[in-house]
Amino acid sequence: MTSLIERALWEADTQIDTELLTYAKRRDLFRCIEAVRSMTREDRIGPKLKSFTENIAPDTGFFIVNVDVWFNNDRTKKLEIEHQIRQALGTQGSQLLGDLFEISGLLLGRVKVNEFSLNALLNLDIVCMVELPFEPIEQEPFILYSQNFTPILNDTLDDDAPLATVLDSGVFTGNPLLRTVVVAEEEFDTTEHSTTDFNGHGTGVAGIVVYGDFHDSIKNQTFTPLVRICNGKIMHNENDTPVFPEEVRPEKIVNDAITYFHDTYGCRIFNLSAGNANSIYQGGRQFPWASMLDDLVRELDIVVVVSAGNVIDPVINEFSSRDDLMQKHAISYLILNID
């Protein structure tokens, strides 16, 4: 109803301010809209899922997808929306895995479907997007130590030192460079029933967070920690790759972890080094992952450091000048870490 009122005011060019929009903001907002139309089934299917369904085998059976549902932030309607989703899925094995997770403007869920229940989802007007869960970016190989390398630890941090949370595959706190700086640990991916790192990625990231530039430290063999850390385990090891659990949306896990360490330990700096090579922002609606992080940053007054552009053996172009760079390569794509 509010949007209809704002549209009517814009069409009549009524120069009044409302609680939602000033006249100037309303004018600028509607001028940016090129067209308004109803969403189609094709609009609701993600690129990975579209490719998957075009080549789906007849005997594929059940598989898991992410579903994003439009939401006007009226929590009294949440159960009704969940009922619509479950009704569309039917009673033949397809199911909503857990409750829908709320962010601004969307409800996020994870659903077990087959070809038939997927089609039912895609035909629902309340559905914004259906997509396959994300596949993590392959990590680069790394070696923490060689046999003849003995680090010297120069830890001068006290209880008032800066605190940052590492959201990753866990941290191996027995590492001699990290065991004195880990303040707290908690697992939000309970697959391995441990906060320790069985993959290695989280421990490597924790080292960068704590020490920053390793080059001088390795050269001098002296390591001086800059911050203390909390270990927020949000992924587990699977075939030597850090992955999120299958039954829960990553957005919810990350949201729970950030909220916990902020409320419990007063942490306001968070590092999130997880990425999805198939989710590259190219304009249009903001991804749910980014929207969720934006909400948390505003609500909790925190900083979230997100890795971007992580690829194996990146191509580094050379340019003759800054103008050459701006003219030939003005468009860049940001790899966002989302589901």
Side-chain angles (χ1 to χ4, degrees):
M1 180 63 69
T2 301
S3 60
L4 294 176
I5 294 174
E6 293 293 344
R7 179 178 177 179
L9 291 173
W10 171 72
E11 289 177 339
D13 196 26
T14 305
Q15 298 188 26
I16 63 172
D17 299 340
T18 65
E19 292 184 5
L20 182 64
L21 294 173
T22 64
Y23 167 73
K25 288 182 178 179
R26 184 186 309 112
R27 176 198 61 205
D28 295 343
L29 172 64
F30 280 95
R31 281 180 178 176
C32 292
I33 300 174
E34 296 180 358
V36 177
R37 63 174 176 82
S38 299
M39 290 186 66
T40 66
R41 183 182 186 279
E42 290 301 311
D43 295 321
R44 299 187 184 103
I45 187 168
K48 279 203 310 177
L49 181 59
K50 182 177 181 180
S51 176
F52 173 78
T53 55
E54 288 173 350
N55 302 285
I56 191 170
D59 58 347
T60 297
F62 291 101
F63 52 96
I64 291 177
V65 297
N66 290 336
V67 57
D68 302 344
V69 183
W70 295 116
F71 183 53
N72 65 357
N73 300 320
D74 181 357
R75 291 180 176 174
T76 64
K77 302 293 185 181
K78 189 174 177 180
L79 290 178
E80 179 183 335
I81 293 172
E82 289 186 357
H83 176 71
Q84 291 183 60
I85 297 294
R86 290 190 169 95
Q87 192 172 37
L89 294 174
T91 58
Q92 302 301 314
S94 298
Q95 61 177 313
L96 179 63
L97 302 176
D99 299 328
L100 295 174
F101 172 60
E102 176 186 338
I103 65 172
S104 296
L106 289 174
L107 294 174
L108 311 181
R110 185 154 279 184
V111 183
K112 184 172 76 171
V113 297
N114 56 21
E115 184 178 1
F116 303 103
S117 55
L118 172 63
N119 286 326
L121 271 184
L122 291 172
N123 290 328
L124 280 182
D125 289 340
I126 62 172
V127 169
C128 168
M129 178 69 67
V130 184
E131 178 62 295
L132 292 175
F134 93 105
E135 297 174 359
I137 295 174
E138 182 182 355
Q139 59 179 319
E140 298 181 42
F142 54 87
I143 300 175
L144 293 179
Y145 302 114
S146 61
Q147 290 183 344
N148 59 354
F149 184 81
T150 303
I152 301 171
L153 181 61
N154 179 34
D155 185 0
T156 59
L157 299 180
D158 56 25
D159 292 342
D160 295 324
L163 182 66
T165 294
V166 177
L167 304 171
D168 215 285
S169 60
V171 175
F172 177 58
T173 55
N175 186 303
L177 293 180
L178 297 174
R179 61 189 173 201
T180 65
V181 297
V182 178
V183 173
E185 302 180 88
E186 191 65 41
E187 58 171 337
F188 299 88
D189 175 354
T190 58
T191 304
E192 294 169 330
H193 303 289
S194 172
T195 57
T196 198
D197 182 13
F198 294 102
N199 175 266
H201 185 270
T203 302
V205 170
I208 296 173
V209 171
V210 172
Y211 293 99
D213 189 349
F214 264 85
H215 294 289
D216 287 340
S217 298
I218 292 175
K219 181 179 179 180
N220 301 324
Q221 295 192 10
T222 301
F223 290 78
T224 303
L226 305 175
V227 299
R228 301 170 300 149
I229 60 171
C230 296
N231 168 23
K233 182 167 182 172
I234 60 171
M235 294 182 285
H236 63 276
N237 183 56
E238 189 172 296
N239 299 322
D240 295 326
T241 301
V243 297
F244 286 98
E246 189 175 64
E247 300 82 8
V248 187
R249 287 287 292 258
E251 293 93 339
K252 184 179 189 309
I253 295 177
V254 172
N255 179 88
D256 291 348
I258 289 177
T259 303
Y260 171 80
F261 284 109
H262 173 271
D263 294 349
T264 307
Y265 297 97
C267 186
R268 296 179 59 210
I269 307 294
F270 297 84
N271 186 89
L272 179 60
S273 295
N276 182 2
N278 294 301
S279 290
I280 302 176
Y281 184 72
Q282 300 185 43
R285 184 176 62 86
Q286 187 182 38
F287 289 157
W289 182 284
S291 177
M292 178 270 298
L293 292 179
D294 284 348
D295 287 345
L296 287 173
V297 168
R298 285 192 297 267
E299 293 169 8
L300 304 181
D301 190 23
I302 60 176
V303 173
V304 181
V305 180
V306 180
S307 60
N310 286 0
V311 293
I312 301 296
D313 298 326
V315 176
I316 302 177
N317 296 310
E318 295 184 2
F319 307 100
S320 59
S321 65
R322 182 179 182 278
D323 290 339
D324 180 39
L325 167 64
M326 298 302 291
Q327 290 174 4
K328 296 181 180 179
H329 301 275
I331 300 177
S332 62
Y333 296 110
L334 176 64
I335 297 181
L336 296 179
N337 305 315
I338 284 333
D339 172 11

